[in-house]
Amino acid sequence: MSQQVGRVETLFVHGVGDEYLVAAIRDGTRLFHARLELGTTDAGPRPAAFRIKEGSGEEPRSPDQFVEIARRAGRIRISEQTSRRDRDAIREMLSGYQLDAKTVRTCRYCASAGRYSPITSETAIAADGETICPDCARTELERELAHHDVSSTAGDRLQELLTEVQDLERVVNLLSGHLDPDLTKFDEMSATTESVDPVPVGDLDLHPGMGELLDDRFETLLPVQSLAVHGGALDGEDQLVVSATATGKTLIGEMAGLDRLLRGEGKMLFLVPLVALANQKYEDFSDEYGHLADVTIRVGASRVRGDGERFDPDADIVVGTYEGIDHALRVGQDLGDIGTVVIDEVHTLEDDDRGHRLDGLIARLKGYCEDRANAGAGGSETNAGTQWLYLSATVGNPRWLAGRLDANLVEFEERPVPIERHVTFADSQEKARVANKLVRREFDRESSKGYRGQTIVFTNSRRRCHELSRKLEYDAAPYHAGLDYSRRKTVERQFADQDLAAVVTTAALAAGVDFPASQVIFDSLAMGIEWLTVQEFHQMLGRAGRPDYHDRGVVYVLVEPDGSYHSSMPGSEDETAFKLLKGEMEPVAMRYDETSAVEEVLANITVAGEGAKGLTDRMVGEVPLKHAVGKLLDYGFIDGLEPTPLGRAVTRHFLEPSVAFTMLDGIRKGTDPYDVVADVELRDEEE
């Protein structure tokens, strides 16, 4: 036996009941695994039986062979998990042969399998009231992960946490939605400051009406506002302003637009992507500037709002949605002399569904402003100078976009408060419980500014908004585009008065509706049946924490392992979570498929006729003009470079060609209108 074994580096002994497991180790490899029994003699404990494990059986050997192997070993170690009585018996037995042994801390799992795995305080992992080695802990964690169908990306994150916290149970508990902040915390986006010389409000060359308003509110401008002023915002310069949420971008547009308006240089258009945001801006502007100017609102195709107020195209300040103003252009409405256009949330250009419409709107509105100026200048080609200000918190390639928009870039990277980002795992049933606990915890906390913590919960459907808000113990309300105007205003007021601990919403709030929340919870990482983009994710999490209200922002991403919301969605929610957390902002890149190209070229022809090519050429995206014109002719939407009655109806109602033909087919067949609508909706679902 000893001739076969040769040199033994470590002889490891682990007590199990009345027997001892023995392993001979050389160069980290186990040479053999055996069982040892001790017997009592007049000289003390001595080897009584020695059996070598081979395959599934055991081969008896002479007890003297154990003694010979022990004498050959470089060192003998006894597992700390062996009872004190058994450790004493082994030492007494070895001392009878002038051998000694040290007790070492080892992994019980390894020791039970005859493996020698010494562990230290730096490597030990707590598990079931004891400590095990990292390899065994990883194996146990992998078993748990297999039960939850966790992606490899999420699994890697949990393995990292296991090494960091050295506690298997704490890490496994994350899979059941346990909120252990030391483990859920993914990172912290630190508050950052950028040195900018603040511009005193009193030094601004503003119209007295605007100057008095600002004097009453501020002594100096905020950094991004100061940068914009230094860059010519009050001198008529076009600008793309990119800065984080709550850094004061909106006031740049207000200052420039109101100043030009009061100086008789044309009205201000303030354009936003969503009705909810337009309503809020309209209310704000009416309250703040109503004594200086007439304010009106234009959303969608309707000229009458839900509260009965009519759109006034002659008003001094027009707040509108992109589609609302675009519709006015498509039907040939006179918007008057426009001095300033503010495009808020200009990163919407990157949106696959709506980006092409914003791109087309900007081109058509620029064409309108220039035609108006030329007509007013007696046909001169000199542009009277409508000022364009584009605002965004998130743009992946701001220099490129500024170049395409022919605007100066004002970029400010300050984050006014730090934001902690957390990830925890929960299935669809557990998410409500976790969200409830987070909302309660945050609302019970008060900032140094005296404000209670409030939460925005983002989810992927209107139905889920109502379902989840009902499950929250503290006062909460759903908020989405399906609510009527008065209900949305009520929710906004209740949140502002701190009567609500949370609002549960879809994408509406991501675009900037002013809810000063300290915490953002992602109940879902999807909007509808599509995963969020990095840009959308950053836009939404940026709602957490406001410098005038909170000391910090908190973001919780609730992830369902292997979760998805539609069979067409690539990957799973846990994979998506870490892509979003680690991902870089996508560049704004306009992508025109045939449908979007046809829609925008038809709108350009409707608005500009033979000037449509000029409008199309100035768009941010590359539009295949000739191909689109060919399709429009095939469809019967245009005759030459004039829209047909059918084409005019299609563009006025923002219809895709396929939708238009579905409706036409139903009308020609005499199909009930409700069935036609159902066919259109089913077609969208199938797509």
Side-chain angles (χ1 to χ4, degrees):
M1 175 67 188
S2 61
Q3 294 299 319
Q4 294 176 338
V5 173
R7 179 178 63 86
V8 174
E9 186 177 280
T10 302
L11 190 66
F12 175 58
V13 183
H14 173 66
V16 181
D18 294 329
E19 296 183 322
Y20 304 94
L21 296 178
V22 178
I25 313 295
R26 183 170 67 218
D27 298 329
T29 302
R30 189 177 71 193
L31 301 176
F32 70 84
H33 187 197
R35 287 184 181 275
L36 173 69
E37 293 180 30
L38 298 185
T40 302
T41 69
D42 292 341
R46 290 292 186 271
F50 186 52
R51 298 187 297 276
I52 301 293
K53 286 195 157 194
E54 291 189 352
S56 59
E58 295 180 347
E59 181 183 341
R61 298 294 177 91
S62 168
D64 292 339
Q65 288 188 345
F66 168 79
V67 177
E68 187 175 349
I69 293 169
R71 285 176 170 153
R72 287 177 169 273
R75 59 192 177 196
I76 302 174
R77 298 290 183 259
I78 305 172
S79 168
E80 189 181 60
Q81 280 80 11
T82 303
S83 70
R84 180 179 296 277
R85 178 181 64 83
D86 288 334
R87 291 201 302 268
D88 290 343
I90 293 169
R91 284 200 180 91
E92 185 179 352
M93 179 270 293
L94 292 171
S95 67
Y97 302 105
Q98 291 77 50
L99 299 171
D100 61 7
K102 288 185 178 180
T103 300
V104 294
R105 190 180 183 188
T106 60
C107 171
R108 181 181 65 80
Y109 292 6
C110 288
S112 298
R115 297 191 301 271
Y116 175 57
S117 289
I119 52 179
T120 66
S121 58
E122 287 76 24
T123 62
I125 308 269
D128 297 327
E130 57 186 325
T131 53
I132 61 178
C133 71
D135 287 341
C136 288
R138 282 191 287 268
T139 300
E140 292 301 305
L141 179 57
E142 285 168 2
R143 289 197 184 101
E144 291 290 340
L145 297 180
H147 291 316
H148 290 82
D149 293 322
V150 173
S151 71
S152 60
T153 305
D156 290 344
R157 170 63 180 167
L158 291 172
Q159 295 284 8
E160 290 173 10
L161 287 175
L162 183 64
T163 302
E164 289 175 16
V165 303
Q166 297 177 260
D167 191 319
L168 178 61
E169 185 176 4
R170 285 179 68 191
V171 174
V172 169
N173 282 343
L174 289 179
L175 295 169
S176 301
H178 283 238
L179 296 175
D180 186 332
D182 291 335
L183 298 190
T184 60
K185 186 175 179 180
F186 179 81
D187 63 12
E188 180 171 320
M189 303 170 72
S190 302
T192 58
T193 56
E194 185 176 325
S195 179
V196 176
D197 291 334
V199 174
V201 170
D203 291 352
L204 298 174
D205 182 20
L206 292 170
H207 183 278
M210 190 64 191
E212 289 173 9
L213 274 178
L214 292 185
D215 282 336
D216 292 339
R217 295 165 63 186
F218 315 108
E219 292 184 4
T220 62
L221 296 180
L222 294 173
V224 70
Q225 298 160 357
S226 298
L227 283 176
V229 168
H230 288 314
L234 299 181
D235 300 319
E237 295 288 334
D238 294 352
Q239 293 182 342
L240 168 61
V241 183
V242 180
S243 183
T245 300
T247 52
K249 297 184 295 297
T250 301
L251 187 63
I252 298 168
E254 295 173 35
M255 283 193 301
L258 264 293
D259 186 58
R260 289 169 66 85
L261 168 66
L262 296 174
R263 292 179 188 274
E265 298 177 11
K267 67 175 63 180
M268 177 175 75
L269 265 60
F270 195 99
L271 308 185
V272 296
L274 299 171
V275 173
L277 186 52
N279 284 328
Q280 191 172 71
K281 293 298 182 188
Y282 170 73
E283 298 287 345
D284 292 344
F285 289 176
S286 296
D287 291 342
E288 294 169 12
Y289 309 122
H291 65 291
L292 292 174
D294 295 327
V295 185
T296 191
I297 186 170
R298 177 65 181 261
V299 295
S302 175
R303 300 186 187 187
V304 181
R305 289 209 307 162
D307 58 1
E309 184 166 331
R310 287 187 172 275
F311 167 64
D312 178 9
D314 296 324
D316 302 315
I317 302 173
V318 178
V319 178
T321 57
Y322 304 153
E323 285 81 2
I325 299 303
D326 200 5
H327 182 268
L329 294 174
R330 295 183 187 206
V331 299
Q333 188 166 26
D334 185 358
L335 295 175
D337 294 328
I338 300 172
T340 310
V341 177
V342 182
I343 307 285
D344 201 8
E345 313 294 343
V346 72
H347 57 266
T348 304
L349 283 166
E350 199 270 338
D351 187 281
D352 287 338
D353 294 328
R354 302 180 66 200
H356 65 90
R357 289 182 179 169
L358 176 56
D359 193 15
L361 164 64
I362 292 172
R364 290 186 282 277
L365 195 51
K366 282 185 175 180
Y368 169 88
C369 293
E370 291 170 5
D371 289 345
R372 183 89 181 184
N374 291 340
S380 166
E381 293 185 2
T382 302
N383 183 359
T386 300
Q387 182 180 12
W388 292 76
L389 296 167
Y390 310 92
L391 312 179
S392 179
T394 54
V395 175
N397 51 346
R399 292 194 179 279
W400 177 86
L401 183 58
R404 293 292 296 171
L405 293 171
D406 198 20
N408 299 326
L409 176 62
V410 176
E411 193 172 12
F412 183 63
E413 297 185 357
E414 178 181 79
R415 183 174 302 283
V417 297
I419 296 180
E420 291 181 7
R421 303 197 301 176
H422 294 254
V423 182
T424 192
F425 298 90
D427 62 26
S428 57
Q429 299 301 316
E430 281 289 303
K431 284 184 176 183
R433 182 188 65 79
V434 173
N436 182 57
K437 185 173 182 179
L438 290 171
V439 168
R440 283 187 303 146
R441 187 171 70 185
E442 190 67 11
F443 198 61
D444 289 340
R445 182 182 288 130
E446 187 174 293
S447 75
S448 63
K449 280 89 169 173
Y451 288 89
R452 303 183 78 168
Q454 292 171 278
T455 301
I456 298 172
V457 184
F458 286 112
T459 190
N460 71 319
S461 71
R462 296 177 184 181
R463 184 180 66 179
R464 178 67 171 168
C465 288
H466 291 270
E467 174 189 329
L468 192 52
S469 64
R470 287 194 297 267
K471 291 182 177 179
L472 299 178
E473 293 177 36
Y474 284 6
D475 288 338
Y479 186 95
H480 54 72
L483 300 177
D484 62 40
Y485 174 77
S486 61
R487 178 56 185 156
R488 289 199 301 270
K489 293 304 298 180
T490 298
V491 174
E492 291 169 15
R493 186 184 66 252
Q494 289 176 323
F495 198 92
D497 294 341
Q498 296 220 302
D499 293 332
L500 293 178
V503 291
V504 188
T505 184
T506 55
L509 290 183
V513 176
D514 188 17
F515 280 73
S518 57
Q519 177 172 256
V520 164
I521 298 173
F522 287 88
D523 172 65
S524 166
L525 290 176
M527 282 299 153
I529 58 171
E530 293 184 356
W531 296 122
L532 297 175
T533 65
V534 174
Q535 186 180 74
E536 290 167 337
F537 180 64
H538 277 264
Q539 186 77 14
M540 295 160 84
L541 72 83
R543 310 307 303 171
R546 294 283 293 273
D548 296 335
Y549 296 81
H550 312 120
D551 306 308
R552 54 67 174 133
V554 182
V555 174
Y556 270 87
V557 182
L558 310 187
V559 176
E560 181 175 4
D562 202 35
S564 182
Y565 298 90
H566 194 271
S567 59
S568 65
M569 301 174 75
S572 60
E573 192 163 56
D574 49 338
E575 289 177 309
T576 301
F578 292 99
K579 287 179 182 176
L580 294 176
L581 289 163
K582 298 176 181 179
E584 295 184 1
M585 206 79 68
E586 301 95 346
V588 172
M590 293 298 304
R591 293 174 290 273
Y592 277 93
D593 59 17
E594 183 177 285
T595 297
S596 57
V598 164
E599 182 178 336
E600 296 314 314
V601 172
L602 176 59
N604 287 345
I605 291 173
T606 302
V607 171
E610 293 184 358
K613 183 181 186 305
L615 296 185
T616 305
D617 288 345
R618 76 190 308 166
M619 291 168 68
V620 172
E622 298 293 332
V623 183
L625 179 61
K626 289 183 178 179
H627 180 74
V629 169
K631 285 293 180 182
L632 289 169
L633 290 168
D634 290 343
Y635 295 155
F637 290 172
I638 61 173
D639 181 6
L641 286 178
E642 288 294 326
T644 63
L646 173 60
R648 198 175 295 278
V650 167
T651 198
R652 283 183 174 184
H653 295 284
F654 296 83
L655 297 178
E656 295 180 3
S658 58
V659 172
F661 290 129
T662 298
M663 296 172 68
L664 276 174
D665 187 56
I667 293 169
R668 288 166 179 162
K669 292 178 178 178
T671 305
D672 186 281
Y674 288 110
D675 290 333
V676 174
V677 172
D679 288 342
V680 170
E681 291 298 317
L682 287 172
R683 184 196 62 83
D684 290 341
E685 285 291 325
E686 290 169 0
E687 289 184 357

